[in-house]
Structure formats: C-alpha cells, structure tokens
Coordinates of all heavy atoms in Angstrom, one line a residue:
M1 N 3.8 -13.0 26.4 CA 2.7 -13.1 25.4 C 3.2 -12.7 24.0 O 2.8 -13.3 23.0 CB 1.5 -12.3 25.9 CG 0.3 -12.5 25.0 SD -0.3 -14.2 25.3 CE -2.0 -13.9 25.1
G2 N 4.0 -11.7 23.9 CA 4.5 -11.2 22.6 C 5.4 -12.2 21.9 O 5.4 -12.3 20.7
R3 N 6.1 -13.1 22.7 CA 6.9 -14.1 22.1 C 6.1 -15.1 21.4 O 6.4 -15.7 20.4 CB 7.8 -14.8 23.2 CG 8.7 -15.8 22.6 CD 9.6 -16.3 23.7 NE 10.4 -17.4 23.2 CZ 11.7 -17.5 23.3 NH1 12.3 -16.6 24.0 NH2 12.3 -18.5 22.8
K4 N 4.9 -15.5 22.0 CA 4.0 -16.4 21.3 C 3.4 -15.8 20.0 O 3.3 -16.5 19.1 CB 2.9 -16.8 22.3 CG 3.3 -17.7 23.4 CD 2.2 -18.1 24.3 CE 2.6 -18.9 25.4 NZ 1.6 -19.3 26.3
Y5 N 3.1 -14.5 20.1 CA 2.7 -13.9 18.8 C 3.7 -13.9 17.7 O 3.4 -14.2 16.6 CB 2.3 -12.4 19.1 CG 1.0 -12.1 19.8 CD1 1.0 -11.1 20.8 CD2 -0.1 -12.9 19.5 CE1 -0.2 -10.9 21.4 CE2 -1.3 -12.6 20.2 CZ -1.3 -11.6 21.1 OH -2.5 -11.3 21.8
N6 N 5.0 -13.8 18.1 CA 6.1 -13.8 17.2 C 6.2 -15.2 16.5 O 6.3 -15.2 15.3 CB 7.4 -13.5 18.0 CG 8.5 -13.2 17.1 OD1 8.5 -13.5 15.9 ND2 9.6 -12.7 17.6
L7 N 6.2 -16.2 17.3 CA 6.3 -17.6 16.8 C 5.1 -18.0 15.9 O 5.3 -18.5 14.8 CB 6.6 -18.6 17.9 CG 6.8 -20.0 17.5 CD1 8.0 -20.1 16.6 CD2 6.8 -20.9 18.7
W8 N 3.9 -17.7 16.5 CA 2.7 -18.2 15.8 C 2.5 -17.4 14.5 O 2.0 -17.9 13.5 CB 1.5 -18.2 16.7 CG 1.5 -19.4 17.6 CD1 1.8 -19.5 18.9 CD2 1.2 -20.7 17.2 NE1 1.7 -20.7 19.3 CE2 1.3 -21.5 18.3 CE3 0.8 -21.3 16.0 CZ2 1.1 -22.9 18.2 CZ3 0.6 -22.6 15.9 CH2 0.7 -23.4 17.1
S9 N 2.8 -16.1 14.5 CA 2.6 -15.3 13.3 C 3.5 -15.8 12.2 O 3.2 -15.8 11.0 CB 2.8 -13.8 13.6 OG 4.1 -13.6 14.0
F10 N 4.7 -16.2 12.6 CA 5.7 -16.7 11.6 C 5.1 -18.0 11.0 O 5.1 -18.2 9.8 CB 7.1 -17.0 12.2 CG 8.1 -17.5 11.2 CD1 8.6 -16.7 10.2 CD2 8.5 -18.8 11.3 CE1 9.5 -17.2 9.3 CE2 9.4 -19.3 10.4 CZ 9.9 -18.5 9.4
I11 N 4.7 -18.9 11.8 CA 4.1 -20.2 11.4 C 2.9 -19.9 10.5 O 2.7 -20.6 9.4 CB 3.8 -21.1 12.6 CG1 5.0 -21.5 13.3 CG2 3.0 -22.3 12.1 CD1 4.8 -22.2 14.6
L12 N 2.0 -19.0 10.9 CA 0.8 -18.7 10.1 C 1.1 -18.0 8.8 O 0.4 -18.2 7.8 CB -0.2 -17.9 11.0 CG -0.8 -18.6 12.1 CD1 -1.6 -17.6 13.0 CD2 -1.7 -19.7 11.6
S13 N 2.2 -17.3 8.7 CA 2.6 -16.7 7.5 C 3.0 -17.7 6.5 O 2.7 -17.6 5.3 CB 3.7 -15.6 7.7 OG 4.9 -16.2 8.0
I14 N 3.7 -18.8 6.9 CA 4.1 -19.9 6.0 C 2.8 -20.6 5.6 O 2.7 -21.0 4.4 CB 5.0 -20.8 6.7 CG1 6.3 -20.1 7.2 CG2 5.4 -22.0 5.9 CD1 7.1 -19.5 6.1
I15 N 1.8 -20.8 6.5 CA 0.6 -21.4 6.1 C -0.2 -20.6 5.1 O -0.8 -21.1 4.2 CB -0.3 -21.7 7.4 CG1 0.4 -22.8 8.2 CG2 -1.7 -22.1 7.1 CD1 -0.2 -23.0 9.6
C16 N -0.1 -19.2 5.2 CA -0.8 -18.4 4.3 C -0.2 -18.5 2.9 O -1.0 -18.5 1.9 CB -0.7 -16.9 4.7 SG -1.7 -16.5 6.1
I17 N 1.1 -18.7 2.8 CA 1.7 -18.9 1.5 C 1.2 -20.2 0.9 O 0.9 -20.3 -0.3 CB 3.2 -18.9 1.6 CG1 3.7 -17.5 1.9 CG2 3.9 -19.4 0.3 CD1 5.1 -17.3 2.2
L18 N 1.2 -21.3 1.7 CA 0.7 -22.6 1.3 C -0.8 -22.5 0.8 O -1.2 -23.1 -0.2 CB 0.9 -23.6 2.4 CG 2.3 -24.0 2.7 CD1 2.4 -24.9 3.9 CD2 3.0 -24.6 1.5
L19 N -1.6 -21.8 1.6 CA -3.0 -21.6 1.2 C -3.1 -20.9 -0.1 O -4.0 -21.2 -0.9 CB -3.8 -20.8 2.3 CG -4.2 -21.6 3.5 CD1 -4.8 -20.6 4.6 CD2 -5.2 -22.7 3.2
F20 N -2.3 -19.9 -0.3 CA -2.4 -19.1 -1.6 C -2.0 -20.1 -2.7 O -2.7 -20.1 -3.8 CB -1.4 -18.0 -1.6 CG -1.2 -17.4 -2.9 CD1 -2.2 -16.6 -3.5 CD2 0.0 -17.6 -3.6 CE1 -2.0 -16.0 -4.7 CE2 0.2 -17.0 -4.8 CZ -0.8 -16.2 -5.4
F21 N -1.0 -20.9 -2.6 CA -0.7 -21.8 -3.7 C -1.7 -22.9 -3.9 O -2.0 -23.3 -5.0 CB 0.7 -22.5 -3.4 CG 1.8 -21.6 -3.8 CD1 2.8 -21.3 -2.8 CD2 2.0 -21.0 -5.0 CE1 3.9 -20.5 -3.1 CE2 3.0 -20.2 -5.3 CZ 4.0 -19.9 -4.3
I22 N -2.3 -23.4 -2.8 CA -3.4 -24.4 -3.0 C -4.6 -23.8 -3.7 O -5.2 -24.4 -4.6 CB -3.8 -24.9 -1.6 CG1 -2.7 -25.8 -1.0 CG2 -5.1 -25.7 -1.7 CD1 -2.9 -26.2 0.4
V23 N -5.0 -22.6 -3.3 CA -6.2 -21.9 -3.9 C -5.9 -21.6 -5.4 O -6.7 -21.8 -6.3 CB -6.6 -20.7 -3.1 CG1 -7.6 -19.9 -3.9 CG2 -7.2 -21.1 -1.8
S24 N -4.7 -21.0 -5.6 CA -4.4 -20.6 -7.0 C -4.1 -21.7 -8.0 O -4.4 -21.6 -9.2 CB -3.2 -19.6 -7.0 OG -2.0 -20.3 -6.6
L25 N -3.7 -22.8 -7.5 CA -3.4 -24.0 -8.4 C -4.5 -25.0 -8.5 O -4.5 -25.9 -9.3 CB -2.1 -24.7 -7.9 CG -0.8 -23.9 -8.0 CD1 0.3 -24.6 -7.4 CD2 -0.5 -23.4 -9.4
S26 N -5.6 -24.8 -7.7 CA -6.7 -25.7 -7.7 C -7.6 -25.3 -8.9 O -7.5 -24.2 -9.4 CB -7.5 -25.7 -6.4 OG -8.1 -24.4 -6.2
G27 N -8.5 -26.2 -9.3 CA -9.4 -26.0 -10.4 C -10.5 -25.1 -10.0 O -10.5 -24.4 -8.9
P28 N -11.5 -25.0 -10.8 CA -12.7 -24.1 -10.5 C -13.3 -24.6 -9.2 O -13.5 -25.8 -9.0 CB -13.6 -24.3 -11.7 CG -12.8 -25.0 -12.7 CD -11.6 -25.6 -12.1
I29 N -13.7 -23.6 -8.3 CA -14.3 -24.0 -7.0 C -15.7 -23.4 -7.0 O -15.9 -22.3 -7.5 CB -13.4 -23.4 -5.9 CG1 -12.0 -24.0 -5.9 CG2 -14.1 -23.6 -4.6 CD1 -11.1 -23.3 -4.9
D30 N -16.6 -24.1 -6.5 CA -18.0 -23.6 -6.4 C -18.0 -22.6 -5.2 O -17.9 -23.0 -4.1 CB -18.9 -24.8 -6.1 CG -20.4 -24.4 -6.1 OD1 -20.7 -23.3 -6.7 OD2 -21.2 -25.1 -5.5
Y31 N -18.2 -21.3 -5.6 CA -18.1 -20.3 -4.6 C -19.4 -20.2 -3.8 O -19.4 -19.5 -2.7 CB -17.8 -18.9 -5.3 CG -16.6 -18.9 -6.1 CD1 -16.6 -18.5 -7.4 CD2 -15.4 -19.3 -5.5 CE1 -15.4 -18.5 -8.1 CE2 -14.2 -19.4 -6.3 CZ -14.3 -18.9 -7.6 OH -13.1 -18.9 -8.3
S32 N -20.5 -20.8 -4.2 CA -21.7 -20.7 -3.5 C -21.7 -21.4 -2.1 O -22.4 -21.1 -1.2 CB -22.9 -21.2 -4.3 OG -22.7 -22.6 -4.5
I33 N -20.8 -22.4 -2.0 CA -20.6 -23.1 -0.7 C -20.0 -22.2 0.3 O -20.4 -22.2 1.5 CB -19.8 -24.4 -1.0 CG1 -20.5 -25.4 -1.9 CG2 -19.4 -25.1 0.4 CD1 -19.6 -26.6 -2.3
M34 N -18.9 -21.5 -0.1 CA -18.2 -20.6 0.9 C -18.8 -19.3 1.0 O -18.6 -18.6 2.0 CB -16.8 -20.5 0.5 CG -16.0 -21.8 0.6 SD -14.3 -21.6 0.2 CE -14.4 -21.5 -1.5
G35 N -19.5 -18.8 0.0 CA -20.1 -17.5 0.0 C -19.2 -16.3 -0.5 O -19.7 -15.3 -0.7
T36 N -17.9 -16.6 -0.6 CA -17.0 -15.6 -1.1 C -15.9 -16.3 -1.9 O -15.7 -17.5 -1.7 CB -16.4 -14.7 0.1 OG1 -15.6 -13.7 -0.5 CG2 -15.7 -15.5 1.0
H37 N -15.1 -15.5 -2.6 CA -14.0 -16.0 -3.4 C -12.9 -16.5 -2.4 O -12.6 -15.8 -1.4 CB -13.5 -14.9 -4.3 CG -12.6 -15.5 -5.4 ND1 -11.3 -15.8 -5.2 CD2 -12.9 -15.8 -6.7 CE1 -10.8 -16.3 -6.3 NE2 -11.8 -16.3 -7.2
P38 N -12.3 -17.7 -2.7 CA -11.3 -18.2 -1.8 C -10.0 -17.3 -1.6 O -9.4 -17.2 -0.6 CB -10.9 -19.5 -2.4 CG -12.0 -19.9 -3.3 CD -12.6 -18.6 -3.7
L39 N -9.7 -16.5 -2.7 CA -8.6 -15.6 -2.6 C -8.9 -14.4 -1.6 O -8.0 -13.9 -1.0 CB -8.2 -15.0 -3.9 CG -7.5 -16.0 -4.9 CD1 -7.2 -15.4 -6.2 CD2 -6.2 -16.5 -4.2
K40 N -10.2 -14.1 -1.5 CA -10.5 -13.0 -0.5 C -10.4 -13.6 0.9 O -9.9 -12.9 1.8 CB -12.0 -12.6 -0.7 CG -12.2 -11.7 -1.8 CD -13.6 -11.2 -1.9 CE -13.9 -10.3 -3.0 NZ -15.2 -9.8 -3.1
L41 N -10.7 -14.9 1.1 CA -10.5 -15.5 2.4 C -9.0 -15.5 2.8 O -8.6 -15.2 3.9 CB -11.1 -16.9 2.4 CG -12.6 -17.0 2.3 CD1 -13.1 -18.4 2.3 CD2 -13.3 -16.3 3.5
V42 N -8.2 -15.9 1.8 CA -6.7 -15.9 2.0 C -6.2 -14.5 2.3 O -5.4 -14.3 3.2 CB -6.0 -16.5 0.9 CG1 -4.5 -16.5 1.1 CG2 -6.4 -18.0 0.7
L43 N -6.8 -13.5 1.7 CA -6.4 -12.1 1.9 C -6.8 -11.7 3.3 O -6.0 -11.1 4.0 CB -7.1 -11.2 0.9 CG -6.9 -9.7 1.1 CD1 -5.4 -9.3 1.0 CD2 -7.7 -8.9 0.1
Y44 N -8.0 -12.0 3.8 CA -8.4 -11.7 5.2 C -7.5 -12.4 6.2 O -7.1 -11.8 7.2 CB -9.8 -12.1 5.4 CG -10.8 -11.3 4.5 CD1 -12.0 -12.0 4.1 CD2 -10.6 -10.1 4.0 CE1 -12.9 -11.3 3.2 CE2 -11.4 -9.4 3.2 CZ -12.6 -10.0 2.8 OH -13.5 -9.4 2.0
I45 N -7.2 -13.6 5.9 CA -6.3 -14.4 6.9 C -4.9 -13.8 6.9 O -4.3 -13.6 8.0 CB -6.3 -15.9 6.5 CG1 -7.6 -16.5 6.7 CG2 -5.2 -16.6 7.3 CD1 -7.7 -17.9 6.1
T46 N -4.4 -13.4 5.7 CA -3.1 -12.8 5.6 C -3.0 -11.5 6.4 O -2.0 -11.2 7.1 CB -2.7 -12.6 4.2 OG1 -2.8 -13.9 3.5 CG2 -1.3 -12.1 4.0
L47 N -4.1 -10.7 6.2 CA -4.1 -9.4 7.0 C -4.1 -9.6 8.5 O -3.5 -8.8 9.2 CB -5.3 -8.5 6.5 CG -5.2 -8.0 5.1 CD1 -6.5 -7.3 4.7 CD2 -4.0 -7.0 5.0
T48 N -4.9 -10.6 8.9 CA -4.9 -10.9 10.3 C -3.5 -11.4 10.8 O -3.1 -10.9 11.9 CB -5.9 -12.0 10.6 OG1 -7.2 -11.6 10.1 CG2 -6.0 -12.3 12.1
V49 N -2.8 -12.2 10.1 CA -1.5 -12.6 10.4 C -0.5 -11.4 10.4 O 0.4 -11.4 11.2 CB -1.0 -13.8 9.5 CG1 0.4 -14.1 9.7 CG2 -1.9 -15.0 9.7
F50 N -0.7 -10.5 9.5 CA 0.1 -9.3 9.5 C 0.0 -8.5 10.8 O 1.0 -8.1 11.4 CB -0.3 -8.4 8.3 CG 0.5 -7.1 8.2 CD1 1.8 -7.1 7.9 CD2 -0.2 -5.9 8.5 CE1 2.5 -5.9 7.9 CE2 0.5 -4.7 8.5 CZ 1.8 -4.7 8.2
I51 N -1.2 -8.4 11.3 CA -1.4 -7.7 12.5 C -0.8 -8.5 13.7 O -0.2 -7.9 14.6 CB -3.0 -7.5 12.8 CG1 -3.5 -6.5 11.8 CG2 -3.2 -7.0 14.2 CD1 -5.0 -6.4 11.7
L52 N -0.9 -9.8 13.7 CA -0.2 -10.6 14.7 C 1.3 -10.4 14.6 O 2.0 -10.4 15.6 CB -0.6 -12.1 14.5 CG -2.0 -12.5 15.0 CD1 -2.2 -13.9 14.7 CD2 -2.1 -12.2 16.5
G53 N 1.8 -10.3 13.4 CA 3.2 -10.1 13.2 C 3.7 -8.8 13.8 O 4.8 -8.7 14.3
I54 N 2.9 -7.7 13.6 CA 3.2 -6.4 14.2 C 3.2 -6.5 15.7 O 4.1 -6.0 16.4 CB 2.2 -5.4 13.7 CG1 2.4 -5.1 12.2 CG2 2.4 -4.0 14.4 CD1 3.7 -4.6 11.8
L55 N 2.2 -7.3 16.3 CA 2.2 -7.5 17.7 C 3.3 -8.3 18.2 O 3.7 -8.2 19.3 CB 0.8 -8.1 18.1 CG -0.4 -7.3 18.0 CD1 -1.7 -8.1 18.3 CD2 -0.4 -6.1 18.9
G56 N 3.9 -9.2 17.3 CA 5.0 -10.0 17.7 C 6.3 -9.2 17.9 O 7.2 -9.8 18.5
F57 N 6.4 -8.0 17.4 CA 7.6 -7.2 17.7 C 7.7 -6.9 19.2 O 8.9 -6.6 19.6 CB 7.5 -5.9 16.9 CG 8.0 -6.0 15.5 CD1 7.1 -5.8 14.4 CD2 9.3 -6.2 15.2 CE1 7.5 -5.9 13.1 CE2 9.8 -6.3 13.9 CZ 8.9 -6.2 12.9
S58 N 6.7 -7.0 19.9 CA 6.8 -6.7 21.4 C 7.5 -7.8 22.1 O 8.0 -7.6 23.3 CB 5.4 -6.5 22.0 OG 4.6 -7.7 21.9
G59 N 7.6 -9.0 21.6 CA 8.2 -10.1 22.2 C 9.6 -10.5 21.8 O 10.1 -11.6 22.0
I60 N 10.3 -9.5 21.2 CA 11.6 -9.8 20.7 C 12.6 -9.8 21.8 O 12.7 -8.9 22.6 CB 12.0 -8.7 19.6 CG1 11.2 -8.8 18.4 CG2 13.5 -8.9 19.3 CD1 11.4 -7.7 17.4
Q61 N 13.4 -10.9 21.9 CA 14.4 -11.1 23.0 C 15.8 -11.3 22.5 O 16.7 -11.0 23.2 CB 14.0 -12.2 23.9 CG 12.7 -12.0 24.6 CD 12.3 -13.1 25.5 OE1 12.9 -14.2 25.5 NE2 11.3 -12.9 26.3
D62 N 15.9 -11.7 21.2 CA 17.2 -11.9 20.6 C 17.1 -11.7 19.1 O 16.1 -11.3 18.6 CB 17.7 -13.3 20.9 CG 16.8 -14.4 20.5 OD1 15.7 -14.1 20.0 OD2 17.2 -15.6 20.5
W63 N 18.2 -11.9 18.4 CA 18.3 -11.6 17.0 C 17.4 -12.5 16.2 O 16.9 -12.2 15.1 CB 19.7 -11.6 16.5 CG 20.4 -12.9 16.5 CD1 21.1 -13.4 17.6 CD2 20.5 -13.8 15.5 NE1 21.6 -14.6 17.3 CE2 21.2 -14.9 16.0 CE3 19.9 -13.9 14.2 CZ2 21.4 -16.1 15.2 CZ3 20.2 -15.0 13.5 CH2 20.9 -16.1 14.0
K64 N 17.2 -13.8 16.7 CA 16.4 -14.7 16.0 C 14.9 -14.3 16.0 O 14.2 -14.4 15.0 CB 16.5 -16.1 16.6 CG 17.8 -16.8 16.5 CD 17.8 -18.1 17.2 CE 19.2 -18.6 17.3 NZ 19.3 -19.8 18.2
G65 N 14.5 -13.8 17.1 CA 13.1 -13.2 17.2 C 12.9 -12.0 16.3 O 11.9 -11.9 15.6
L66 N 13.9 -11.2 16.2 CA 13.9 -10.0 15.3 C 13.8 -10.4 13.9 O 13.0 -9.9 13.1 CB 15.1 -9.1 15.6 CG 15.2 -7.9 14.7 CD1 14.0 -6.9 15.0 CD2 16.5 -7.2 14.8
L67 N 14.6 -11.4 13.5 CA 14.6 -11.9 12.1 C 13.3 -12.5 11.8 O 12.7 -12.3 10.7 CB 15.8 -12.9 11.9 CG 16.0 -13.4 10.5 CD1 16.4 -12.3 9.6 CD2 17.1 -14.5 10.5
R68 N 12.7 -13.3 12.7 CA 11.4 -13.9 12.5 C 10.3 -12.9 12.3 O 9.5 -13.1 11.5 CB 11.2 -14.9 13.7 CG 10.1 -15.9 13.5 CD 10.0 -16.9 14.5 NE 10.2 -16.5 15.9 CZ 11.1 -16.9 16.7 NH1 11.9 -17.9 16.4 NH2 11.2 -16.5 17.9
S69 N 10.3 -11.9 13.1 CA 9.3 -10.8 13.0 C 9.4 -10.1 11.7 O 8.4 -9.8 11.1 CB 9.4 -9.8 14.2 OG 9.0 -10.4 15.4
I70 N 10.6 -9.7 11.3 CA 10.8 -9.0 10.1 C 10.4 -9.8 8.9 O 9.8 -9.4 8.0 CB 12.3 -8.5 10.0 CG1 12.5 -7.4 11.0 CG2 12.6 -8.0 8.6 CD1 14.0 -6.9 11.1
T71 N 10.8 -11.1 8.9 CA 10.4 -12.0 7.9 C 8.9 -12.2 7.8 O 8.3 -12.1 6.7 CB 11.1 -13.4 8.1 OG1 12.5 -13.2 8.2 CG2 10.8 -14.3 6.9
T72 N 8.2 -12.3 8.9 CA 6.8 -12.4 8.9 C 6.1 -11.2 8.3 O 5.2 -11.3 7.5 CB 6.3 -12.6 10.4 OG1 6.9 -13.8 10.9 CG2 4.8 -12.7 10.5
V73 N 6.6 -10.0 8.7 CA 6.0 -8.8 8.2 C 6.2 -8.6 6.7 O 5.3 -8.3 6.0 CB 6.5 -7.5 9.0 CG1 6.1 -6.3 8.3 CG2 6.0 -7.6 10.4
I74 N 7.4 -8.9 6.3 CA 7.7 -8.8 4.8 C 6.8 -9.8 4.0 O 6.2 -9.5 3.0 CB 9.2 -9.0 4.6 CG1 9.9 -7.8 5.1 CG2 9.5 -9.2 3.1 CD1 11.4 -8.0 5.0
I75 N 6.7 -11.1 4.5 CA 6.0 -12.1 3.8 C 4.5 -11.7 3.7 O 3.9 -11.7 2.7 CB 6.2 -13.5 4.4 CG1 7.5 -14.0 4.2 CG2 5.1 -14.5 4.0 CD1 7.9 -15.3 4.9
T76 N 3.9 -11.4 4.9 CA 2.5 -11.1 4.9 C 2.1 -9.8 4.2 O 1.1 -9.7 3.5 CB 2.0 -11.1 6.3 OG1 2.7 -10.1 7.1 CG2 2.0 -12.4 7.0
L77 N 3.0 -8.8 4.3 CA 2.7 -7.5 3.6 C 2.8 -7.7 2.1 O 1.9 -7.3 1.3 CB 3.7 -6.4 4.0 CG 3.5 -5.0 3.5 CD1 2.1 -4.5 4.0 CD2 4.6 -4.1 3.9
G78 N 3.8 -8.4 1.6 CA 3.9 -8.7 0.2 C 2.8 -9.5 -0.3 O 2.2 -9.2 -1.4
L79 N 2.4 -10.6 0.4 CA 1.3 -11.4 0.0 C 0.0 -10.7 0.0 O -0.8 -10.9 -0.9 CB 1.2 -12.7 0.8 CG 0.2 -13.8 0.4 CD1 0.5 -14.3 -1.0 CD2 0.3 -14.9 1.4
S80 N -0.2 -9.9 1.0 CA -1.5 -9.1 1.1 C -1.6 -8.1 0.0 O -2.7 -7.9 -0.6 CB -1.7 -8.5 2.5 OG -0.7 -7.6 2.7
V81 N -0.5 -7.4 -0.3 CA -0.6 -6.4 -1.5 C -0.8 -7.2 -2.8 O -1.7 -6.7 -3.6 CB 0.7 -5.6 -1.5 CG1 0.9 -4.9 -2.8 CG2 0.8 -4.7 -0.3
F82 N -0.2 -8.3 -3.0 CA -0.4 -9.0 -4.2 C -1.8 -9.5 -4.3 O -2.4 -9.4 -5.4 CB 0.6 -10.2 -4.3 CG 0.5 -11.0 -5.5 CD1 0.9 -10.6 -6.7 CD2 -0.1 -12.3 -5.4 CE1 0.7 -11.3 -7.9 CE2 -0.3 -13.1 -6.6 CZ 0.2 -12.6 -7.8
L83 N -2.3 -10.1 -3.2 CA -3.7 -10.6 -3.2 C -4.7 -9.5 -3.4 O -5.7 -9.6 -4.1 CB -4.0 -11.4 -1.9 CG -3.4 -12.8 -1.9 CD1 -3.6 -13.3 -0.5 CD2 -4.1 -13.7 -2.9
A84 N -4.5 -8.3 -2.8 CA -5.4 -7.2 -3.0 C -5.4 -6.7 -4.4 O -6.5 -6.4 -5.0 CB -4.9 -6.0 -2.1
I85 N -4.3 -6.7 -5.1 CA -4.3 -6.4 -6.5 C -5.0 -7.4 -7.4 O -5.8 -7.1 -8.2 CB -2.8 -6.2 -7.0 CG1 -2.2 -5.0 -6.4 CG2 -2.7 -6.1 -8.5 CD1 -0.7 -4.8 -6.6
V86 N -4.8 -8.7 -7.1 CA -5.4 -9.8 -7.8 C -6.9 -9.7 -7.6 O -7.7 -9.8 -8.6 CB -4.8 -11.1 -7.4 CG1 -5.7 -12.3 -7.9 CG2 -3.4 -11.3 -7.9
V87 N -7.4 -9.5 -6.4 CA -8.8 -9.5 -6.1 C -9.4 -8.3 -6.7 O -10.5 -8.4 -7.3 CB -9.0 -9.6 -4.6 CG1 -10.5 -9.3 -4.2 CG2 -8.7 -11.0 -4.0
F88 N -8.8 -7.1 -6.6 CA -9.3 -5.9 -7.2 C -9.5 -6.0 -8.7 O -10.5 -5.7 -9.2 CB -8.4 -4.7 -6.8 CG -8.9 -3.4 -7.4 CD1 -10.1 -2.8 -6.9 CD2 -8.2 -2.8 -8.4 CE1 -10.5 -1.6 -7.5 CE2 -8.6 -1.6 -9.0 CZ -9.8 -1.0 -8.5
F89 N -8.4 -6.4 -9.4 CA -8.5 -6.4 -10.8 C -9.4 -7.6 -11.3 O -10.0 -7.6 -12.3 CB -7.1 -6.5 -11.5 CG -6.4 -5.2 -11.5 CD1 -5.3 -5.0 -10.8 CD2 -6.9 -4.1 -12.2 CE1 -4.6 -3.8 -10.8 CE2 -6.3 -2.9 -12.2 CZ -5.1 -2.8 -11.5
G90 N -9.4 -8.7 -10.5 CA -10.3 -9.8 -10.8 C -11.8 -9.4 -10.7 O -12.6 -9.8 -11.5
S91 N -12.1 -8.6 -9.8 CA -13.5 -8.1 -9.6 C -13.9 -7.1 -10.7 O -15.0 -7.0 -11.1 CB -13.7 -7.5 -8.3 OG -13.0 -6.3 -8.1
L92 N -12.9 -6.4 -11.3 CA -13.1 -5.5 -12.4 C -13.4 -6.2 -13.7 O -14.2 -5.8 -14.5 CB -11.9 -4.5 -12.6 CG -11.7 -3.4 -11.6 CD1 -10.5 -2.7 -12.0 CD2 -12.9 -2.5 -11.5
L93 N -12.8 -7.4 -13.8 CA -13.0 -8.2 -15.1 C -14.2 -9.0 -15.1 O -14.6 -9.5 -16.1 CB -11.7 -9.0 -15.3 CG -10.4 -8.3 -15.5 CD1 -9.2 -9.2 -15.6 CD2 -10.5 -7.4 -16.8
S94 N -14.8 -9.3 -13.9 CA -16.0 -10.2 -13.9 C -17.3 -9.4 -13.8 O -17.4 -8.2 -13.7 CB -15.9 -11.1 -12.7 OG -15.9 -10.4 -11.5

C-alpha cells in the first residue's frame, strides 16, 4: 500500500504545480461560484499531497522510490509554504 502512496503522491505533486500555474496565470475568477479563493484550494490540495508523500516513505523498496518520495516532499513543502505566504499576505491586503 505504501508503494501506491509513493507513486500517486509524486503524480499528484506534479498536478499541484500545474494547478498553481493555471490558477496564477488565469484572469480574474468569480469566487462566489467556488466559495473560496482558488489559491486556498490549491494550498489544501498541496497539504493533502504532502501528507500522502510522508505516508509514501513506508513503501520505499529501492533508490528510485526514495528519490521519488524525497522529491515529492520537497516539491509539496516548498509549494505549500509559498502558497501559505501568498494567501496570508493577500488576505492582509484585501
């Protein structure tokens, strides 16, 4: 089961990066449809993938799995810290 967490968390971390770029490069979005800011949604998804990446360490069987887990944790941790800063300072300015 840990091996599946490892692979899927890596794939989802790449998807989180793509979602971040899609949301940040898109024009103004009507937030009343979603109920919350899209960057907050990407932050929540990224934090969930970070937890899956931590759980993925249990399924490491070779060096490729270890590299995939470390990459996943670094990507999601960096993106979640960046998004938390952006959302926090963005809420202060509005």
Side-chain angles (χ1 to χ4, degrees):
M1 189 65 149
R3 184 178 173 129
K4 289 183 182 180
Y5 284 141
N6 190 349
L7 180 64
W8 280 105
S9 63
F10 180 73
I11 292 169
L12 289 173
S13 68
I14 302 298
I15 291 172
C16 285
I17 291 173
L18 293 175
L19 282 175
F20 169 72
F21 283 124
I22 289 170
V23 168
S24 64
L25 295 176
S26 64
I29 300 172
D30 186 20
Y31 304 127
S32 63
I33 294 173
M34 292 183 284
T36 184
H37 196 278
L39 285 177
K40 283 186 183 179
L41 292 174
V42 175
L43 176 62
Y44 299 147
I45 293 169
T46 305
L47 289 173
T48 305
V49 173
F50 176 73
I51 293 170
L52 285 175
I54 296 296
L55 292 174
F57 276 111
S58 65
I60 295 175
Q61 296 179 350
D62 56 354
W63 65 272
K64 292 177 191 175
L66 178 67
L67 185 64
R68 196 169 40 233
S69 287
I70 291 173
T71 305
T72 300
V73 169
I74 289 172
I75 287 172
T76 55
L77 185 64
L79 186 60
S80 61
V81 167
F82 180 73
L83 282 171
I85 291 170
V86 167
V87 167
F88 176 72
F89 284 115
S91 66
L92 288 178
L93 296 175
S94 61

